[in-house]
Amino acid sequence: MKNRLIAVLLCLALAPGSYSQGLPDLGDSASADLSPLAEQKLGMQIMRDIRWHDAAYLRDAEIEDYLNRLGDRLVAAGPGAGMPFEFFGVNDPSLNAFAMPGGKIGVHTGLILAAQSESELAGVLSHEISHVTQRHIARMVGQQGRSSMLMLATLLVAVLAAKSSPNASQAAIMAGQAAGISSQLSYSRDFEHEADRLGVQNLAAAGFDVRGMASFFERLQRNSRLYENNAPAYMRTHPLTSDRISEMEDRILHLPYRQVPDSLDFQLVRAKLRVGKAVSRELMDELQAAGRRDGQSVVAHYALARAYLVGRRFAEADRELVALRALKQPSAMIEGLDGELLLGKGDAAGAAKVFHDGRARFPQSRRLLYGEAGALLDAGRTTEALNLVKTELQTTPDDALLWELRARTEAALGHRMAQHRSLGELYAIQGNFAASAEQFTLAQGAKDGDFFEMSAVDSRLREVRALLAEQMKERRER
């Protein structure tokens, strides 16, 4: 019943049939029902539930790092510069990408693999970014009336409640909560044309080949005949029409031709997704043939090394990594692969050094940061791990994985108050304020911290209890 409720709420709240014919101006009162602040809050709530409770969320820091670098490049070149965006992966083979309130943009792994160039992937992201910058979701809510906001609020409660249902896998969110939301979010024709127009402009401004956007949409349209009634999710949520593609091609004709090579990380991300967590005999044969065919291909050596690592064939993975290093192509993903291989062989100290050296070259890589902290812990160098995590938390205090690593280091050092405090911060970021308050209460009782630590725990406990009370009040009112 809870799962049917989710589907019904989504359909009622976001059904395209209730659109009006005209588009309001961005400052129009039609969007007042979902203010920018409310949109941000709604997006954060949905994103928090996806990140911490949805199995479809792709928990891969490397791929998320790449998507955010690509997305940030597009955002910086267009009208969204300065707006808060977050890009994340969804572990789903279907061809789909979707924008949620507050600039949260999800990309299915199937779409990344289907893109034949980085410009094609960038074209899809540029289109989704335009939905956000033009506040299409807010305008949809404004056109449908205030009841839509109530439905969206109820939806959040239903989504949270459904997580405890034993039948959740049979819900409308079967393919993941993110996919469930996007499957109901079908934009109007006017919104799609607007996102196409601005998406092409933004793609060109960011330095990509604008033909990538049209080529991807054309291929989807051509292949749709093979799907019959089971069209790719992206076509269902972003209806493709011949006039849309014709208009896109007409705009592109007036833009200068630009040939843009794919970045190495785009190719490595696709190789990593293709290898996955298990390697079939057929895929291994194909990767080995590619390695023999092109001994100078960074991607071929990377894919083969990762496939051997997944199969725990460490000697062969080492051989491929040596060949990969000899090509001298800089990439945080190659450094990450090296560290993973050393960890797989039980050399935590060696892995910590590789991650540390890699971070000197790629200081923005979250994957290398997490890798170094975890490797230091595995090597028994807990004080170094704690110092590293504490330093990083000063600039990124909302990084839940860092708080998790900090809790592990504090536990290893026997610091009970600090361990419970770190867990309290972790649960607060996840939105589990009840568990957070419990951990801060345990921290109060630990009594092994100094006066300043105790004062900080007391203060945070009061704040978390207030957030818990507000959360419970909102749930009762809904």
Short mmCIF file of all heavy atoms in Angstrom, two decimals, residues 47-82:
data_model
loop_
_atom_site.label_atom_id
_atom_site.label_comp_id
_atom_site.label_asym_id
_atom_site.label_seq_id
_atom_site.Cartn_x
_atom_site.Cartn_y
_atom_site.Cartn_z
N MET A 47 17.73 13.78 -1.85
CA MET A 47 19.10 13.33 -2.09
C MET A 47 19.64 12.56 -0.89
O MET A 47 20.33 11.54 -1.04
CB MET A 47 19.99 14.53 -2.39
CG MET A 47 21.39 14.16 -2.86
SD MET A 47 21.37 13.37 -4.47
CE MET A 47 22.42 11.96 -4.16
N ARG A 48 19.34 13.02 0.30
CA ARG A 48 19.81 12.35 1.50
C ARG A 48 19.24 10.94 1.59
O ARG A 48 19.94 9.99 1.94
CB ARG A 48 19.42 13.16 2.74
CG ARG A 48 20.00 12.64 4.05
CD ARG A 48 19.89 13.70 5.13
NE ARG A 48 18.53 14.16 5.31
CZ ARG A 48 18.21 15.30 5.91
NH1 ARG A 48 19.15 16.12 6.34
NH2 ARG A 48 16.95 15.66 6.07
N ASP A 49 17.97 10.80 1.23
CA ASP A 49 17.36 9.47 1.29
C ASP A 49 17.94 8.56 0.21
O ASP A 49 18.19 7.38 0.45
CB ASP A 49 15.85 9.58 1.12
CG ASP A 49 15.15 8.30 1.53
OD1 ASP A 49 15.43 7.81 2.63
OD2 ASP A 49 14.37 7.78 0.73
N ILE A 50 18.19 9.10 -0.98
CA ILE A 50 18.80 8.32 -2.05
C ILE A 50 20.19 7.86 -1.63
O ILE A 50 20.56 6.68 -1.75
CB ILE A 50 18.88 9.14 -3.35
CG1 ILE A 50 17.48 9.35 -3.94
CG2 ILE A 50 19.79 8.46 -4.37
CD1 ILE A 50 17.46 10.28 -5.13
N ARG A 51 20.99 8.80 -1.12
CA ARG A 51 22.39 8.51 -0.82
C ARG A 51 22.54 7.46 0.27
O ARG A 51 23.43 6.60 0.21
CB ARG A 51 23.11 9.79 -0.40
CG ARG A 51 24.62 9.63 -0.23
CD ARG A 51 25.25 10.93 0.25
NE ARG A 51 25.15 12.00 -0.72
CZ ARG A 51 25.98 12.16 -1.73
NH1 ARG A 51 26.98 11.32 -1.92
NH2 ARG A 51 25.83 13.17 -2.56
N TRP A 52 21.67 7.50 1.28
CA TRP A 52 21.89 6.64 2.43
C TRP A 52 20.95 5.45 2.53
O TRP A 52 21.16 4.57 3.36
CB TRP A 52 21.81 7.48 3.72
CG TRP A 52 22.83 8.56 3.72
CD1 TRP A 52 22.62 9.90 3.66
CD2 TRP A 52 24.26 8.40 3.74
NE1 TRP A 52 23.80 10.59 3.63
CE2 TRP A 52 24.83 9.69 3.68
CE3 TRP A 52 25.10 7.27 3.79
CZ2 TRP A 52 26.20 9.89 3.68
CZ3 TRP A 52 26.47 7.49 3.78
CH2 TRP A 52 27.00 8.77 3.74
N HIS A 53 19.92 5.40 1.70
CA HIS A 53 18.95 4.31 1.84
C HIS A 53 18.62 3.59 0.54
O HIS A 53 17.89 2.60 0.58
CB HIS A 53 17.65 4.85 2.45
CG HIS A 53 17.85 5.51 3.78
ND1 HIS A 53 18.17 4.82 4.92
CD2 HIS A 53 17.80 6.82 4.13
CE1 HIS A 53 18.30 5.67 5.93
NE2 HIS A 53 18.08 6.89 5.47
N ASP A 54 19.12 4.08 -0.59
CA ASP A 54 18.74 3.47 -1.86
C ASP A 54 19.89 2.65 -2.42
O ASP A 54 20.98 3.16 -2.66
CB ASP A 54 18.37 4.57 -2.87
CG ASP A 54 17.59 4.01 -4.04
OD1 ASP A 54 17.89 2.88 -4.45
OD2 ASP A 54 16.68 4.69 -4.51
N ALA A 55 19.63 1.38 -2.65
CA ALA A 55 20.68 0.49 -3.16
C ALA A 55 21.12 0.87 -4.57
O ALA A 55 22.22 0.49 -4.99
CB ALA A 55 20.17 -0.95 -3.15
N ALA A 56 20.30 1.62 -5.29
CA ALA A 56 20.66 2.00 -6.66
C ALA A 56 21.68 3.13 -6.70
O ALA A 56 22.31 3.35 -7.74
CB ALA A 56 19.40 2.42 -7.44
N TYR A 57 21.86 3.84 -5.59
CA TYR A 57 22.85 4.92 -5.57
C TYR A 57 24.25 4.33 -5.79
O TYR A 57 24.64 3.35 -5.14
CB TYR A 57 22.79 5.65 -4.23
CG TYR A 57 23.90 6.65 -4.04
CD1 TYR A 57 23.90 7.85 -4.74
CD2 TYR A 57 24.95 6.39 -3.17
CE1 TYR A 57 24.93 8.78 -4.57
CE2 TYR A 57 25.98 7.31 -2.99
CZ TYR A 57 25.96 8.49 -3.69
OH TYR A 57 26.97 9.39 -3.52
N LEU A 58 25.00 4.91 -6.72
CA LEU A 58 26.32 4.39 -7.07
C LEU A 58 27.36 4.92 -6.08
O LEU A 58 27.75 6.07 -6.13
CB LEU A 58 26.70 4.81 -8.49
CG LEU A 58 28.01 4.23 -9.04
CD1 LEU A 58 27.92 2.71 -9.14
CD2 LEU A 58 28.34 4.84 -10.40
N ARG A 59 27.78 4.06 -5.20
CA ARG A 59 28.74 4.46 -4.16
C ARG A 59 30.16 4.31 -4.69
O ARG A 59 30.88 3.38 -4.32
CB ARG A 59 28.52 3.63 -2.90
CG ARG A 59 27.09 3.73 -2.39
CD ARG A 59 26.79 2.90 -1.17
NE ARG A 59 25.35 2.84 -0.96
CZ ARG A 59 24.62 3.81 -0.46
NH1 ARG A 59 25.20 4.94 -0.09
NH2 ARG A 59 23.31 3.70 -0.32
N ASP A 60 30.53 5.21 -5.55
CA ASP A 60 31.85 5.18 -6.16
C ASP A 60 32.37 6.62 -6.24
O ASP A 60 31.91 7.41 -7.06
CB ASP A 60 31.78 4.56 -7.56
CG ASP A 60 33.15 4.29 -8.15
OD1 ASP A 60 33.96 5.24 -8.21
OD2 ASP A 60 33.41 3.15 -8.56
N ALA A 61 33.33 6.94 -5.37
CA ALA A 61 33.83 8.31 -5.28
C ALA A 61 34.50 8.75 -6.57
O ALA A 61 34.43 9.93 -6.94
CB ALA A 61 34.80 8.44 -4.10
N GLU A 62 35.19 7.83 -7.26
CA GLU A 62 35.87 8.18 -8.51
C GLU A 62 34.89 8.63 -9.58
O GLU A 62 35.09 9.66 -10.23
CB GLU A 62 36.66 6.98 -9.04
CG GLU A 62 38.06 6.91 -8.52
CD GLU A 62 38.83 5.73 -9.08
OE1 GLU A 62 38.22 4.74 -9.53
OE2 GLU A 62 40.06 5.82 -9.06
N ILE A 63 33.83 7.86 -9.76
CA ILE A 63 32.85 8.20 -10.80
C ILE A 63 32.08 9.46 -10.41
O ILE A 63 31.78 10.31 -11.25
CB ILE A 63 31.92 7.00 -11.06
CG1 ILE A 63 32.74 5.84 -11.65
CG2 ILE A 63 30.77 7.37 -11.98
CD1 ILE A 63 32.00 4.55 -11.81
N GLU A 64 31.77 9.59 -9.14
CA GLU A 64 31.08 10.81 -8.70
C GLU A 64 31.98 12.03 -8.85
O GLU A 64 31.52 13.11 -9.24
CB GLU A 64 30.61 10.66 -7.24
CG GLU A 64 29.66 11.75 -6.81
CD GLU A 64 28.82 11.35 -5.62
OE1 GLU A 64 28.06 10.37 -5.72
OE2 GLU A 64 28.92 12.04 -4.58
N ASP A 65 33.28 11.87 -8.54
CA ASP A 65 34.23 12.96 -8.78
C ASP A 65 34.19 13.40 -10.25
O ASP A 65 34.14 14.59 -10.56
CB ASP A 65 35.66 12.50 -8.44
CG ASP A 65 36.00 12.65 -6.96
OD1 ASP A 65 35.21 13.26 -6.22
OD2 ASP A 65 37.06 12.13 -6.55
N TYR A 66 34.22 12.41 -11.15
CA TYR A 66 34.24 12.73 -12.58
C TYR A 66 32.95 13.45 -13.00
O TYR A 66 32.99 14.46 -13.71
CB TYR A 66 34.41 11.46 -13.42
CG TYR A 66 34.13 11.71 -14.88
CD1 TYR A 66 35.03 12.43 -15.67
CD2 TYR A 66 32.93 11.28 -15.46
CE1 TYR A 66 34.74 12.71 -17.00
CE2 TYR A 66 32.64 11.56 -16.78
CZ TYR A 66 33.55 12.27 -17.55
OH TYR A 66 33.27 12.56 -18.86
N LEU A 67 31.80 12.92 -12.59
CA LEU A 67 30.53 13.54 -12.98
C LEU A 67 30.45 14.98 -12.48
O LEU A 67 29.94 15.87 -13.18
CB LEU A 67 29.36 12.72 -12.44
CG LEU A 67 29.11 11.37 -13.11
CD1 LEU A 67 28.02 10.61 -12.38
CD2 LEU A 67 28.74 11.55 -14.58
N ASN A 68 30.97 15.25 -11.29
CA ASN A 68 30.92 16.60 -10.76
C ASN A 68 31.91 17.52 -11.45
O ASN A 68 31.62 18.71 -11.64
CB ASN A 68 31.14 16.59 -9.24
CG ASN A 68 29.87 16.26 -8.48
OD1 ASN A 68 29.02 17.12 -8.28
ND2 ASN A 68 29.71 15.01 -8.08
N ARG A 69 33.07 17.01 -11.87
CA ARG A 69 33.99 17.84 -12.65
C ARG A 69 33.36 18.22 -13.98
O ARG A 69 33.42 19.38 -14.41
CB ARG A 69 35.31 17.09 -12.89
CG ARG A 69 36.24 17.05 -11.71
CD ARG A 69 37.65 16.67 -12.13
NE ARG A 69 37.72 15.41 -12.85
CZ ARG A 69 37.81 14.22 -12.28
NH1 ARG A 69 37.82 14.11 -10.95
NH2 ARG A 69 37.88 13.12 -13.01
N LEU A 70 32.77 17.23 -14.64
CA LEU A 70 32.12 17.49 -15.92
C LEU A 70 30.95 18.45 -15.75
O LEU A 70 30.79 19.42 -16.50
CB LEU A 70 31.66 16.18 -16.54
CG LEU A 70 30.92 16.25 -17.88
CD1 LEU A 70 31.82 16.86 -18.96
CD2 LEU A 70 30.45 14.85 -18.31
N GLY A 71 30.11 18.17 -14.75
CA GLY A 71 28.95 19.03 -14.51
C GLY A 71 29.34 20.44 -14.12
O GLY A 71 28.75 21.42 -14.59
N ASP A 72 30.37 20.58 -13.27
CA ASP A 72 30.79 21.91 -12.84
C ASP A 72 31.32 22.74 -14.02
O ASP A 72 31.14 23.96 -14.07
CB ASP A 72 31.87 21.80 -11.77
CG ASP A 72 31.33 21.30 -10.42
OD1 ASP A 72 30.10 21.28 -10.26
OD2 ASP A 72 32.14 20.94 -9.56
N ARG A 73 31.99 22.07 -14.95
CA ARG A 73 32.48 22.78 -16.14
C ARG A 73 31.31 23.34 -16.94
O ARG A 73 31.37 24.48 -17.43
CB ARG A 73 33.30 21.81 -16.99
CG ARG A 73 33.79 22.39 -18.31
CD ARG A 73 34.63 21.37 -19.05
NE ARG A 73 34.87 21.77 -20.45
CZ ARG A 73 35.53 21.02 -21.33
NH1 ARG A 73 36.01 19.84 -20.96
NH2 ARG A 73 35.69 21.45 -22.57
N LEU A 74 30.25 22.58 -17.07
CA LEU A 74 29.08 23.04 -17.80
C LEU A 74 28.36 24.14 -17.05
O LEU A 74 27.92 25.14 -17.64
CB LEU A 74 28.14 21.86 -18.05
CG LEU A 74 28.65 20.80 -19.03
CD1 LEU A 74 27.86 19.49 -18.85
CD2 LEU A 74 28.55 21.29 -20.46
N VAL A 75 28.21 23.97 -15.74
CA VAL A 75 27.51 24.97 -14.93
C VAL A 75 28.24 26.31 -14.97
O VAL A 75 27.62 27.37 -15.12
CB VAL A 75 27.38 24.48 -13.47
CG1 VAL A 75 26.88 25.60 -12.57
CG2 VAL A 75 26.43 23.28 -13.40
N ALA A 76 29.57 26.27 -14.87
CA ALA A 76 30.36 27.50 -14.83
C ALA A 76 30.26 28.29 -16.13
O ALA A 76 30.46 29.51 -16.13
CB ALA A 76 31.83 27.17 -14.54
N ALA A 77 29.93 27.61 -17.24
CA ALA A 77 29.89 28.29 -18.54
C ALA A 77 28.52 28.89 -18.86
O ALA A 77 28.38 29.56 -19.88
CB ALA A 77 30.28 27.30 -19.64
N GLY A 78 27.54 28.64 -18.00
CA GLY A 78 26.19 29.08 -18.34
C GLY A 78 25.53 29.90 -17.25
O GLY A 78 26.18 30.37 -16.31
N PRO A 79 24.22 30.07 -17.35
CA PRO A 79 23.48 30.91 -16.39
C PRO A 79 23.40 30.31 -15.00
O PRO A 79 22.95 30.97 -14.07
CB PRO A 79 22.09 31.02 -17.02
CG PRO A 79 21.96 29.81 -17.88
CD PRO A 79 23.34 29.54 -18.41
N GLY A 80 23.82 29.06 -14.85
CA GLY A 80 23.77 28.43 -13.53
C GLY A 80 24.99 28.68 -12.68
O GLY A 80 25.08 28.17 -11.56
N ALA A 81 25.97 29.45 -13.21
CA ALA A 81 27.20 29.72 -12.45
C ALA A 81 26.86 30.30 -11.09
O ALA A 81 26.11 31.27 -10.98
CB ALA A 81 28.10 30.67 -13.23
N GLY A 82 27.41 29.70 -10.05
CA GLY A 82 27.14 30.15 -8.69
C GLY A 82 26.02 29.40 -8.01
O GLY A 82 25.87 29.48 -6.78
#
